[in-house]
Amino acid sequence: MDLQLGHSITATSRIWQIQNHKQPIRSYWRWSRQDFFPEESFQNLASYRTALLQTCFRLKDRLLSRSSVANEVFLQQRESENPLKKCLTWWDLAWMSFGSVVGSGIFFAVEIPVAGGSFSYLRVELGDFVAFLVAGNILLEAIVGAAGLARSWSSYFASMINTNADFLRIRVSHLANGFNLLDPIAAGVLLIADGIAMCGTRGTSILNWISSVISFMVILFIIIIRFIRGKTSNLVPFFPYGARGVFRAAAVVYWSYTGFDMVATMAEETKNPTRDIPLGSVGSMTMITVVYCLMALVLSMMEKNNELDVNAAYAVVFERLGMKRAKYLVSICALKGMTTSLLIGGLGQARYMTQIARAHMIPPWFALIHPRTGTPINATLLVAIPSATIALFSSLDVLSSIFSFCTLLIFSLIVVALLVRRYYVKDTTVKRDLVKFLACLFVIIGSSIGIAVLWNPNKTGWIGYAVAAFIWFLRTLGMALLPKQRVANVWGVPLVPWLPSLSVAMNLFLVGSLGYQAFLRFVICSAVMLIYYLFIGLHATYDVAHTWDLRDFTVFLVFIVYYVSSFRGIYLGSLIFYIPLVEEWNYVLSFIYFP
């Protein structure tokens, strides 16, 4: 994703001064209907009936509309009433990624995704409707991911006491399989972690990087033990389930890398996002990729693949090798890693929900920032409470498949949005080029789906794959020959459209590897999201989009002045503007300085 918004975020504090001028101080804890549904369509039954009668018209409007950079960066932030505190550097971001991804993926749990940046990106490029589908799926990801990670935490804790990972769970015989092992420990740990995250971003970040450094030392210990106790004979057969098993495992573990999107979501709390976000993400991604490969190799050499415990692999394998002290050390540090994942997830998922609430896709009450802690407590509770409930009932395998489906779909849409951003600009791209671009895009998606369809029913012939791959190559080449309408200002994806096109193909291929049950669960959840959107979300976002506030216009001008002046090396936080408010005619605010 192009990181073009970071440079303008540094003017946020000035914008808050404009937005909150003469606003009455209200309590953070309030529960009125107006706080949840302030839009015109929900003021009374008659207005709601009128809105429902206009559903088709409003849906068309939302399908064709696009948000703007100014709206996402500045205008929507007033819904939170208080700003998020800028307290993070690249060091914090790098260890956030490390703590989130390593704490989940290496110790076989489920990462909690956050992608507020991707939500805004999709809203600008693909519109409200697509952004809502992504928002719904990431809300589902956040809830399911936190629940799965908490279940894995309790498994490791139980493995320290007994070899049975379900030792501390309560079996209820009359519930369906996969939902019949109650886990109060998982629910409790999740609520505690989210409670810490609600207390403040800086303190949570410090706790995370200290714990992550300890986890990194334990990882080095495990790798050293590999040279002492590992056996190369355990690597035979090297692909016990063949290529199909590799891709199916990749599809399930894909969620681990969603922790990197955490970095973009924390941009609003980063001191210098233009520099710190790329440094934090690239640095942590390089380190974690190497660690993942080494840890997978270590585990494979220590025990045969068919003898591994899927709930607490590293702890159990050390115990079976007679290294009980090492087992406890690994278990404790695994718990540390998963705890940091829960902490960072508590931060990130709340920021994502805050941005969604700012757009009124969910009630704006969830966008409120607490004035003392500087954190979105309501948004954190939105994910924490249902996550704890699901963690109480659902097993890890049930959770991971639907989680991965959501993640893969979201990443696919982000890549599509990237291609749209590079090749289409409204009122600039000629119609002929637009038609060619859309044709190439649809064929790329179709050929990618075709490869996944051929793979899923165990088709072994190579002709079908070759034809689909050749069609994909031709259409990607055709897109490459089209003129680009935009280039990245600072940081951007290289090798466009080849790399994004390959990403679409891989994501959809992995989706096809997840199996029938994951697809069915995804369809059911998506149907529920669509019903909510047609009856609530559609009308709320339509009303907001068509309500023009004079303060919005002022803040928009401030953004334009800042954005233009930044290219000249002069920082203009704002100029003098006269805002015709209801009570008075003038309010003057001026900040001009040179960095």
Side-chain angles (χ1 to χ4, degrees), residues 96-97 99-105 109-114 141-142 144-146 148-149 253-262 292 340-342 344-345 403 407:
M96 278 185 174
S97 293
S100 181
V101 176
V102 171
S104 62
V110 179
E111 217 289 287
I112 306 162
V114 285
E141 271 190 321
V144 171
L149 183 53
V253 80
Y254 197 81
W255 35 257
S256 295
Y257 277 85
T258 60
F260 293 113
D261 201 22
M262 169 75 63
Y292 261 39
T340 56
S341 288
L342 286 171
I344 302 306
F403 186 95
T407 302

PDB file of all heavy atoms in Angstrom, residues 96-97 99-105 109-114 141-142 144-146 148-149 253-262 292 340-342 344-345 403 407:
ATOM      1  N   MET A  96       6.382  -4.009  17.962  1.00  0.00           N
ATOM      2  CA  MET A  96       4.954  -4.345  17.912  1.00  0.00           C
ATOM      3  C   MET A  96       4.699  -5.439  16.875  1.00  0.00           C
ATOM      4  O   MET A  96       3.968  -6.401  17.121  1.00  0.00           O
ATOM      5  CB  MET A  96       4.127  -3.101  17.578  1.00  0.00           C
ATOM      6  CG  MET A  96       3.840  -2.200  18.754  1.00  0.00           C
ATOM      7  SD  MET A  96       2.743  -0.846  18.290  1.00  0.00           S
ATOM      8  CE  MET A  96       2.471  -0.100  19.889  1.00  0.00           C
ATOM      9  N   SER A  97       5.293  -5.255  15.698  1.00  0.00           N
ATOM     10  CA  SER A  97       5.149  -6.279  14.668  1.00  0.00           C
ATOM     11  C   SER A  97       5.744  -7.596  15.129  1.00  0.00           C
ATOM     12  O   SER A  97       5.151  -8.662  14.960  1.00  0.00           O
ATOM     13  CB  SER A  97       5.832  -5.827  13.373  1.00  0.00           C
ATOM     14  OG  SER A  97       5.166  -4.725  12.822  1.00  0.00           O
ATOM     15  N   GLY A  99       6.302  -8.687  18.246  1.00  0.00           N
ATOM     16  CA  GLY A  99       5.512  -9.280  19.323  1.00  0.00           C
ATOM     17  C   GLY A  99       4.200  -9.852  18.843  1.00  0.00           C
ATOM     18  O   GLY A  99       3.750 -10.900  19.303  1.00  0.00           O
ATOM     19  N   SER A 100       3.579  -9.181  17.876  1.00  0.00           N
ATOM     20  CA  SER A 100       2.289  -9.639  17.377  1.00  0.00           C
ATOM     21  C   SER A 100       2.424 -10.873  16.511  1.00  0.00           C
ATOM     22  O   SER A 100       1.728 -11.864  16.693  1.00  0.00           O
ATOM     23  CB  SER A 100       1.626  -8.507  16.577  1.00  0.00           C
ATOM     24  OG  SER A 100       0.375  -8.909  16.099  1.00  0.00           O
ATOM     25  N   VAL A 101       3.362 -10.857  15.555  1.00  0.00           N
ATOM     26  CA  VAL A 101       3.482 -11.955  14.602  1.00  0.00           C
ATOM     27  C   VAL A 101       4.166 -13.161  15.220  1.00  0.00           C
ATOM     28  O   VAL A 101       3.684 -14.289  15.105  1.00  0.00           O
ATOM     29  CB  VAL A 101       4.255 -11.489  13.345  1.00  0.00           C
ATOM     30  CG1 VAL A 101       4.465 -12.652  12.387  1.00  0.00           C
ATOM     31  CG2 VAL A 101       3.481 -10.384  12.650  1.00  0.00           C
ATOM     32  N   VAL A 102       5.293 -12.953  15.904  1.00  0.00           N
ATOM     33  CA  VAL A 102       6.001 -14.078  16.495  1.00  0.00           C
ATOM     34  C   VAL A 102       5.194 -14.689  17.630  1.00  0.00           C
ATOM     35  O   VAL A 102       5.121 -15.900  17.784  1.00  0.00           O
ATOM     36  CB  VAL A 102       7.392 -13.638  16.994  1.00  0.00           C
ATOM     37  CG1 VAL A 102       8.044 -14.735  17.816  1.00  0.00           C
ATOM     38  CG2 VAL A 102       8.272 -13.294  15.809  1.00  0.00           C
ATOM     39  N   GLY A 103       4.543 -13.852  18.403  1.00  0.00           N
ATOM     40  CA  GLY A 103       3.752 -14.375  19.504  1.00  0.00           C
ATOM     41  C   GLY A 103       2.601 -15.232  19.055  1.00  0.00           C
ATOM     42  O   GLY A 103       2.124 -16.099  19.777  1.00  0.00           O
ATOM     43  N   SER A 104       2.142 -15.040  17.829  1.00  0.00           N
ATOM     44  CA  SER A 104       1.010 -15.832  17.341  1.00  0.00           C
ATOM     45  C   SER A 104       1.465 -16.972  16.462  1.00  0.00           C
ATOM     46  O   SER A 104       1.145 -18.126  16.682  1.00  0.00           O
ATOM     47  CB  SER A 104       0.045 -14.933  16.560  1.00  0.00           C
ATOM     48  OG  SER A 104       0.678 -14.376  15.438  1.00  0.00           O
ATOM     49  N   GLY A 105       2.254 -16.659  15.430  1.00  0.00           N
ATOM     50  CA  GLY A 105       2.557 -17.675  14.430  1.00  0.00           C
ATOM     51  C   GLY A 105       3.522 -18.733  14.903  1.00  0.00           C
ATOM     52  O   GLY A 105       3.333 -19.916  14.667  1.00  0.00           O
ATOM     53  N   ALA A 109      -0.682 -19.998  17.407  1.00  0.00           N
ATOM     54  CA  ALA A 109      -1.946 -19.417  17.842  1.00  0.00           C
ATOM     55  C   ALA A 109      -2.529 -18.626  16.693  1.00  0.00           C
ATOM     56  O   ALA A 109      -2.130 -18.782  15.561  1.00  0.00           O
ATOM     57  CB  ALA A 109      -1.717 -18.525  19.063  1.00  0.00           C
ATOM     58  N   VAL A 110      -3.472 -17.768  16.972  1.00  0.00           N
ATOM     59  CA  VAL A 110      -4.130 -16.994  15.921  1.00  0.00           C
ATOM     60  C   VAL A 110      -3.896 -15.517  16.170  1.00  0.00           C
ATOM     61  O   VAL A 110      -4.187 -14.998  17.229  1.00  0.00           O
ATOM     62  CB  VAL A 110      -5.645 -17.272  15.891  1.00  0.00           C
ATOM     63  CG1 VAL A 110      -6.314 -16.449  14.824  1.00  0.00           C
ATOM     64  CG2 VAL A 110      -5.888 -18.753  15.617  1.00  0.00           C
ATOM     65  N   GLU A 111      -3.351 -14.853  15.188  1.00  0.00           N
ATOM     66  CA  GLU A 111      -3.035 -13.431  15.302  1.00  0.00           C
ATOM     67  C   GLU A 111      -4.288 -12.602  15.210  1.00  0.00           C
ATOM     68  O   GLU A 111      -5.224 -12.941  14.508  1.00  0.00           O
ATOM     69  CB  GLU A 111      -2.105 -13.070  14.147  1.00  0.00           C
ATOM     70  CG  GLU A 111      -1.035 -12.071  14.492  1.00  0.00           C
ATOM     71  CD  GLU A 111      -1.597 -10.704  14.700  1.00  0.00           C
ATOM     72  OE1 GLU A 111      -1.986 -10.056  13.727  1.00  0.00           O
ATOM     73  OE2 GLU A 111      -1.646 -10.276  15.847  1.00  0.00           O
ATOM     74  N   ILE A 112      -4.269 -11.500  15.928  1.00  0.00           N
ATOM     75  CA  ILE A 112      -5.388 -10.574  15.890  1.00  0.00           C
ATOM     76  C   ILE A 112      -5.089  -9.501  14.874  1.00  0.00           C
ATOM     77  O   ILE A 112      -4.120  -8.763  15.017  1.00  0.00           O
ATOM     78  CB  ILE A 112      -5.594  -9.955  17.280  1.00  0.00           C
ATOM     79  CG1 ILE A 112      -5.730 -11.058  18.321  1.00  0.00           C
ATOM     80  CG2 ILE A 112      -6.786  -9.049  17.312  1.00  0.00           C
ATOM     81  CD1 ILE A 112      -5.518 -10.609  19.724  1.00  0.00           C
ATOM     82  N   PRO A 113      -5.903  -9.395  13.827  1.00  0.00           N
ATOM     83  CA  PRO A 113      -5.574  -8.484  12.752  1.00  0.00           C
ATOM     84  C   PRO A 113      -6.049  -7.075  13.012  1.00  0.00           C
ATOM     85  O   PRO A 113      -7.067  -6.865  13.633  1.00  0.00           O
ATOM     86  CB  PRO A 113      -6.327  -9.070  11.570  1.00  0.00           C
ATOM     87  CG  PRO A 113      -7.540  -9.601  12.200  1.00  0.00           C
ATOM     88  CD  PRO A 113      -7.129 -10.091  13.581  1.00  0.00           C
ATOM     89  N   VAL A 114      -5.326  -6.106  12.537  1.00  0.00           N
ATOM     90  CA  VAL A 114      -5.761  -4.731  12.534  1.00  0.00           C
ATOM     91  C   VAL A 114      -5.344  -4.115  11.221  1.00  0.00           C
ATOM     92  O   VAL A 114      -4.237  -4.289  10.785  1.00  0.00           O
ATOM     93  CB  VAL A 114      -5.170  -3.958  13.709  1.00  0.00           C
ATOM     94  CG1 VAL A 114      -5.854  -4.320  15.003  1.00  0.00           C
ATOM     95  CG2 VAL A 114      -3.698  -4.206  13.819  1.00  0.00           C
ATOM     96  N   GLU A 141     -12.560 -10.897  11.890  1.00  0.00           N
ATOM     97  CA  GLU A 141     -11.181 -11.316  12.138  1.00  0.00           C
ATOM     98  C   GLU A 141     -10.741 -10.976  13.555  1.00  0.00           C
ATOM     99  O   GLU A 141     -10.127 -11.793  14.247  1.00  0.00           O
ATOM    100  CB  GLU A 141     -10.238 -10.599  11.168  1.00  0.00           C
ATOM    101  CG  GLU A 141     -10.006 -11.297   9.874  1.00  0.00           C
ATOM    102  CD  GLU A 141      -8.879 -10.622   9.125  1.00  0.00           C
ATOM    103  OE1 GLU A 141      -8.785  -9.401   9.146  1.00  0.00           O
ATOM    104  OE2 GLU A 141      -8.073 -11.339   8.531  1.00  0.00           O
ATOM    105  N   ALA A 142     -11.037  -9.740  13.959  1.00  0.00           N
ATOM    106  CA  ALA A 142     -10.602  -9.295  15.278  1.00  0.00           C
ATOM    107  C   ALA A 142     -11.212 -10.147  16.379  1.00  0.00           C
ATOM    108  O   ALA A 142     -10.528 -10.565  17.320  1.00  0.00           O
ATOM    109  CB  ALA A 142     -10.978  -7.822  15.466  1.00  0.00           C
ATOM    110  N   VAL A 144     -12.713 -13.262  16.095  1.00  0.00           N
ATOM    111  CA  VAL A 144     -12.313 -14.670  15.987  1.00  0.00           C
ATOM    112  C   VAL A 144     -10.824 -14.838  16.305  1.00  0.00           C
ATOM    113  O   VAL A 144     -10.419 -15.783  16.992  1.00  0.00           O
ATOM    114  CB  VAL A 144     -12.630 -15.201  14.577  1.00  0.00           C
ATOM    115  CG1 VAL A 144     -12.041 -16.579  14.363  1.00  0.00           C
ATOM    116  CG2 VAL A 144     -14.141 -15.242  14.365  1.00  0.00           C
ATOM    117  N   GLY A 145      -9.983 -13.910  15.802  1.00  0.00           N
ATOM    118  CA  GLY A 145      -8.553 -14.017  16.036  1.00  0.00           C
ATOM    119  C   GLY A 145      -8.190 -13.904  17.503  1.00  0.00           C
ATOM    120  O   GLY A 145      -7.357 -14.665  18.011  1.00  0.00           O
ATOM    121  N   ALA A 146      -8.792 -12.954  18.208  1.00  0.00           N
ATOM    122  CA  ALA A 146      -8.514 -12.811  19.633  1.00  0.00           C
ATOM    123  C   ALA A 146      -8.959 -14.044  20.407  1.00  0.00           C
ATOM    124  O   ALA A 146      -8.261 -14.514  21.315  1.00  0.00           O
ATOM    125  CB  ALA A 146      -9.219 -11.564  20.173  1.00  0.00           C
ATOM    126  N   GLY A 148      -9.203 -17.165  19.239  1.00  0.00           N
ATOM    127  CA  GLY A 148      -8.291 -18.264  18.937  1.00  0.00           C
ATOM    128  C   GLY A 148      -6.957 -18.139  19.651  1.00  0.00           C
ATOM    129  O   GLY A 148      -6.391 -19.125  20.129  1.00  0.00           O
ATOM    130  N   LEU A 149      -6.433 -16.927  19.723  1.00  0.00           N
ATOM    131  CA  LEU A 149      -5.166 -16.698  20.409  1.00  0.00           C
ATOM    132  C   LEU A 149      -5.301 -16.976  21.907  1.00  0.00           C
ATOM    133  O   LEU A 149      -4.406 -17.563  22.530  1.00  0.00           O
ATOM    134  CB  LEU A 149      -4.702 -15.270  20.165  1.00  0.00           C
ATOM    135  CG  LEU A 149      -3.339 -14.866  20.754  1.00  0.00           C
ATOM    136  CD1 LEU A 149      -2.257 -15.839  20.316  1.00  0.00           C
ATOM    137  CD2 LEU A 149      -2.993 -13.462  20.322  1.00  0.00           C
ATOM    138  N   VAL A 253      -1.980 -20.647   8.038  1.00  0.00           N
ATOM    139  CA  VAL A 253      -1.042 -19.854   8.819  1.00  0.00           C
ATOM    140  C   VAL A 253      -0.884 -18.441   8.271  1.00  0.00           C
ATOM    141  O   VAL A 253      -0.178 -17.614   8.845  1.00  0.00           O
ATOM    142  CB  VAL A 253       0.339 -20.559   8.861  1.00  0.00           C
ATOM    143  CG1 VAL A 253       1.123 -20.319   7.588  1.00  0.00           C
ATOM    144  CG2 VAL A 253       1.125 -20.130  10.096  1.00  0.00           C
ATOM    145  N   TYR A 254      -1.571 -18.129   7.182  1.00  0.00           N
ATOM    146  CA  TYR A 254      -1.438 -16.832   6.514  1.00  0.00           C
ATOM    147  C   TYR A 254      -1.739 -15.680   7.449  1.00  0.00           C
ATOM    148  O   TYR A 254      -1.164 -14.603   7.334  1.00  0.00           O
ATOM    149  CB  TYR A 254      -2.405 -16.803   5.316  1.00  0.00           C
ATOM    150  CG  TYR A 254      -2.109 -15.741   4.300  1.00  0.00           C
ATOM    151  CD1 TYR A 254      -1.134 -15.932   3.343  1.00  0.00           C
ATOM    152  CD2 TYR A 254      -2.828 -14.546   4.272  1.00  0.00           C
ATOM    153  CE1 TYR A 254      -0.873 -14.969   2.384  1.00  0.00           C
ATOM    154  CE2 TYR A 254      -2.575 -13.575   3.322  1.00  0.00           C
ATOM    155  CZ  TYR A 254      -1.596 -13.800   2.379  1.00  0.00           C
ATOM    156  OH  TYR A 254      -1.345 -12.840   1.444  1.00  0.00           O
ATOM    157  N   TRP A 255      -2.670 -15.933   8.397  1.00  0.00           N
ATOM    158  CA  TRP A 255      -3.064 -14.851   9.292  1.00  0.00           C
ATOM    159  C   TRP A 255      -1.920 -14.322  10.130  1.00  0.00           C
ATOM    160  O   TRP A 255      -1.966 -13.223  10.648  1.00  0.00           O
ATOM    161  CB  TRP A 255      -4.182 -15.299  10.223  1.00  0.00           C
ATOM    162  CG  TRP A 255      -4.124 -16.714  10.664  1.00  0.00           C
ATOM    163  CD1 TRP A 255      -4.862 -17.745  10.206  1.00  0.00           C
ATOM    164  CD2 TRP A 255      -3.254 -17.273  11.666  1.00  0.00           C
ATOM    165  NE1 TRP A 255      -4.525 -18.907  10.836  1.00  0.00           N
ATOM    166  CE2 TRP A 255      -3.547 -18.649  11.737  1.00  0.00           C
ATOM    167  CE3 TRP A 255      -2.275 -16.755  12.496  1.00  0.00           C
ATOM    168  CZ2 TRP A 255      -2.894 -19.505  12.601  1.00  0.00           C
ATOM    169  CZ3 TRP A 255      -1.614 -17.606  13.358  1.00  0.00           C
ATOM    170  CH2 TRP A 255      -1.929 -18.967  13.406  1.00  0.00           C
ATOM    171  N   SER A 256      -0.867 -15.115  10.322  1.00  0.00           N
ATOM    172  CA  SER A 256       0.232 -14.656  11.173  1.00  0.00           C
ATOM    173  C   SER A 256       0.854 -13.366  10.665  1.00  0.00           C
ATOM    174  O   SER A 256       1.261 -12.506  11.437  1.00  0.00           O
ATOM    175  CB  SER A 256       1.312 -15.744  11.252  1.00  0.00           C
ATOM    176  OG  SER A 256       0.807 -16.890  11.892  1.00  0.00           O
ATOM    177  N   TYR A 257       0.919 -13.204   9.336  1.00  0.00           N
ATOM    178  CA  TYR A 257       1.579 -12.027   8.768  1.00  0.00           C
ATOM    179  C   TYR A 257       0.686 -10.794   8.775  1.00  0.00           C
ATOM    180  O   TYR A 257       1.146  -9.718   8.424  1.00  0.00           O
ATOM    181  CB  TYR A 257       2.046 -12.339   7.341  1.00  0.00           C
ATOM    182  CG  TYR A 257       3.371 -13.055   7.314  1.00  0.00           C
ATOM    183  CD1 TYR A 257       3.434 -14.435   7.449  1.00  0.00           C
ATOM    184  CD2 TYR A 257       4.571 -12.360   7.188  1.00  0.00           C
ATOM    185  CE1 TYR A 257       4.652 -15.098   7.454  1.00  0.00           C
ATOM    186  CE2 TYR A 257       5.792 -13.013   7.178  1.00  0.00           C
ATOM    187  CZ  TYR A 257       5.823 -14.391   7.317  1.00  0.00           C
ATOM    188  OH  TYR A 257       7.024 -15.036   7.328  1.00  0.00           O
ATOM    189  N   THR A 258      -0.568 -10.938   9.192  1.00  0.00           N
ATOM    190  CA  THR A 258      -1.416  -9.749   9.265  1.00  0.00           C
ATOM    191  C   THR A 258      -0.964  -8.802  10.362  1.00  0.00           C
ATOM    192  O   THR A 258      -1.392  -7.656  10.418  1.00  0.00           O
ATOM    193  CB  THR A 258      -2.890 -10.127   9.507  1.00  0.00           C
ATOM    194  OG1 THR A 258      -2.996 -10.856  10.745  1.00  0.00           O
ATOM    195  CG2 THR A 258      -3.417 -10.977   8.378  1.00  0.00           C
ATOM    196  N   GLY A 259      -0.088  -9.259  11.254  1.00  0.00           N
ATOM    197  CA  GLY A 259       0.432  -8.379  12.294  1.00  0.00           C
ATOM    198  C   GLY A 259       1.185  -7.188  11.744  1.00  0.00           C
ATOM    199  O   GLY A 259       1.278  -6.152  12.388  1.00  0.00           O
ATOM    200  N   PHE A 260       1.723  -7.308  10.528  1.00  0.00           N
ATOM    201  CA  PHE A 260       2.455  -6.191   9.939  1.00  0.00           C
ATOM    202  C   PHE A 260       1.529  -5.024   9.620  1.00  0.00           C
ATOM    203  O   PHE A 260       1.979  -3.875   9.577  1.00  0.00           O
ATOM    204  CB  PHE A 260       3.178  -6.650   8.669  1.00  0.00           C
ATOM    205  CG  PHE A 260       4.276  -7.623   8.939  1.00  0.00           C
ATOM    206  CD1 PHE A 260       4.192  -8.931   8.509  1.00  0.00           C
ATOM    207  CD2 PHE A 260       5.406  -7.235   9.640  1.00  0.00           C
ATOM    208  CE1 PHE A 260       5.209  -9.842   8.764  1.00  0.00           C
ATOM    209  CE2 PHE A 260       6.433  -8.122   9.900  1.00  0.00           C
ATOM    210  CZ  PHE A 260       6.333  -9.436   9.467  1.00  0.00           C
ATOM    211  N   ASP A 261       0.268  -5.302   9.378  1.00  0.00           N
ATOM    212  CA  ASP A 261      -0.657  -4.216   9.092  1.00  0.00           C
ATOM    213  C   ASP A 261      -0.896  -3.359  10.326  1.00  0.00           C
ATOM    214  O   ASP A 261      -1.414  -2.258  10.245  1.00  0.00           O
ATOM    215  CB  ASP A 261      -1.975  -4.802   8.575  1.00  0.00           C
ATOM    216  CG  ASP A 261      -2.765  -3.781   7.789  1.00  0.00           C
ATOM    217  OD1 ASP A 261      -2.156  -2.817   7.309  1.00  0.00           O
ATOM    218  OD2 ASP A 261      -3.987  -3.939   7.673  1.00  0.00           O
ATOM    219  N   MET A 262      -0.504  -3.906  11.489  1.00  0.00           N
ATOM    220  CA  MET A 262      -0.555  -3.139  12.732  1.00  0.00           C
ATOM    221  C   MET A 262       0.197  -1.829  12.601  1.00  0.00           C
ATOM    222  O   MET A 262      -0.226  -0.788  13.099  1.00  0.00           O
ATOM    223  CB  MET A 262       0.060  -3.985  13.850  1.00  0.00           C
ATOM    224  CG  MET A 262       0.310  -3.255  15.134  1.00  0.00           C
ATOM    225  SD  MET A 262      -1.193  -2.968  16.006  1.00  0.00           S
ATOM    226  CE  MET A 262      -1.681  -4.655  16.327  1.00  0.00           C
ATOM    227  N   TYR A 292      10.827 -17.347  11.311  1.00  0.00           N
ATOM    228  CA  TYR A 292       9.796 -18.328  10.969  1.00  0.00           C
ATOM    229  C   TYR A 292      10.411 -19.558  10.304  1.00  0.00           C
ATOM    230  O   TYR A 292      10.099 -20.694  10.657  1.00  0.00           O
ATOM    231  CB  TYR A 292       8.772 -17.686  10.020  1.00  0.00           C
ATOM    232  CG  TYR A 292       7.513 -17.216  10.695  1.00  0.00           C
ATOM    233  CD1 TYR A 292       7.565 -16.611  11.944  1.00  0.00           C
ATOM    234  CD2 TYR A 292       6.281 -17.348  10.082  1.00  0.00           C
ATOM    235  CE1 TYR A 292       6.425 -16.164  12.566  1.00  0.00           C
ATOM    236  CE2 TYR A 292       5.125 -16.910  10.702  1.00  0.00           C
ATOM    237  CZ  TYR A 292       5.194 -16.314  11.938  1.00  0.00           C
ATOM    238  OH  TYR A 292       4.072 -15.885  12.553  1.00  0.00           O
ATOM    239  N   THR A 340       1.738 -10.820  24.563  1.00  0.00           N
ATOM    240  CA  THR A 340       2.037  -9.600  23.828  1.00  0.00           C
ATOM    241  C   THR A 340       1.196  -9.498  22.562  1.00  0.00           C
ATOM    242  O   THR A 340       0.791  -8.401  22.160  1.00  0.00           O
ATOM    243  CB  THR A 340       3.526  -9.523  23.453  1.00  0.00           C
ATOM    244  OG1 THR A 340       3.891 -10.691  22.712  1.00  0.00           O
ATOM    245  CG2 THR A 340       4.391  -9.421  24.688  1.00  0.00           C
ATOM    246  N   SER A 341       0.909 -10.637  21.925  1.00  0.00           N
ATOM    247  CA  SER A 341       0.031 -10.611  20.758  1.00  0.00           C
ATOM    248  C   SER A 341      -1.363 -10.129  21.141  1.00  0.00           C
ATOM    249  O   SER A 341      -1.999  -9.363  20.410  1.00  0.00           O
ATOM    250  CB  SER A 341      -0.063 -12.008  20.129  1.00  0.00           C
ATOM    251  OG  SER A 341       1.138 -12.349  19.485  1.00  0.00           O
ATOM    252  N   LEU A 342      -1.844 -10.589  22.294  1.00  0.00           N
ATOM    253  CA  LEU A 342      -3.150 -10.122  22.775  1.00  0.00           C
ATOM    254  C   LEU A 342      -3.110  -8.631  23.092  1.00  0.00           C
ATOM    255  O   LEU A 342      -4.058  -7.889  22.798  1.00  0.00           O
ATOM    256  CB  LEU A 342      -3.565 -10.918  24.010  1.00  0.00           C
ATOM    257  CG  LEU A 342      -4.021 -12.358  23.780  1.00  0.00           C
ATOM    258  CD1 LEU A 342      -4.189 -13.093  25.108  1.00  0.00           C
ATOM    259  CD2 LEU A 342      -5.340 -12.377  23.002  1.00  0.00           C
ATOM    260  N   ILE A 344      -1.009  -6.265  21.807  1.00  0.00           N
ATOM    261  CA  ILE A 344      -0.911  -5.480  20.582  1.00  0.00           C
ATOM    262  C   ILE A 344      -2.195  -5.578  19.783  1.00  0.00           C
ATOM    263  O   ILE A 344      -2.646  -4.609  19.170  1.00  0.00           O
ATOM    264  CB  ILE A 344       0.286  -5.953  19.734  1.00  0.00           C
ATOM    265  CG1 ILE A 344       1.581  -5.836  20.542  1.00  0.00           C
ATOM    266  CG2 ILE A 344       0.392  -5.131  18.460  1.00  0.00           C
ATOM    267  CD1 ILE A 344       1.819  -4.468  21.117  1.00  0.00           C
ATOM    268  N   GLY A 345      -2.811  -6.761  19.807  1.00  0.00           N
ATOM    269  CA  GLY A 345      -4.104  -6.888  19.152  1.00  0.00           C
ATOM    270  C   GLY A 345      -5.160  -6.002  19.787  1.00  0.00           C
ATOM    271  O   GLY A 345      -5.985  -5.404  19.104  1.00  0.00           O
ATOM    272  N   PHE A 403     -11.015 -17.459   9.949  1.00  0.00           N
ATOM    273  CA  PHE A 403     -10.119 -16.312  10.103  1.00  0.00           C
ATOM    274  C   PHE A 403      -9.244 -16.139   8.863  1.00  0.00           C
ATOM    275  O   PHE A 403      -9.094 -15.043   8.329  1.00  0.00           O
ATOM    276  CB  PHE A 403      -9.263 -16.537  11.342  1.00  0.00           C
ATOM    277  CG  PHE A 403      -8.389 -15.376  11.701  1.00  0.00           C
ATOM    278  CD1 PHE A 403      -8.810 -14.447  12.629  1.00  0.00           C
ATOM    279  CD2 PHE A 403      -7.149 -15.212  11.121  1.00  0.00           C
ATOM    280  CE1 PHE A 403      -8.009 -13.371  12.969  1.00  0.00           C
ATOM    281  CE2 PHE A 403      -6.346 -14.150  11.453  1.00  0.00           C
ATOM    282  CZ  PHE A 403      -6.775 -13.229  12.379  1.00  0.00           C
ATOM    283  N   THR A 407      -8.924 -13.008   6.077  1.00  0.00           N
ATOM    284  CA  THR A 407      -7.642 -12.350   5.845  1.00  0.00           C
ATOM    285  C   THR A 407      -7.266 -12.369   4.376  1.00  0.00           C
ATOM    286  O   THR A 407      -6.846 -11.354   3.802  1.00  0.00           O
ATOM    287  CB  THR A 407      -6.552 -13.037   6.672  1.00  0.00           C
ATOM    288  OG1 THR A 407      -6.910 -12.997   8.053  1.00  0.00           O
ATOM    289  CG2 THR A 407      -5.212 -12.339   6.479  1.00  0.00           C
TER     290      THR A 407
END
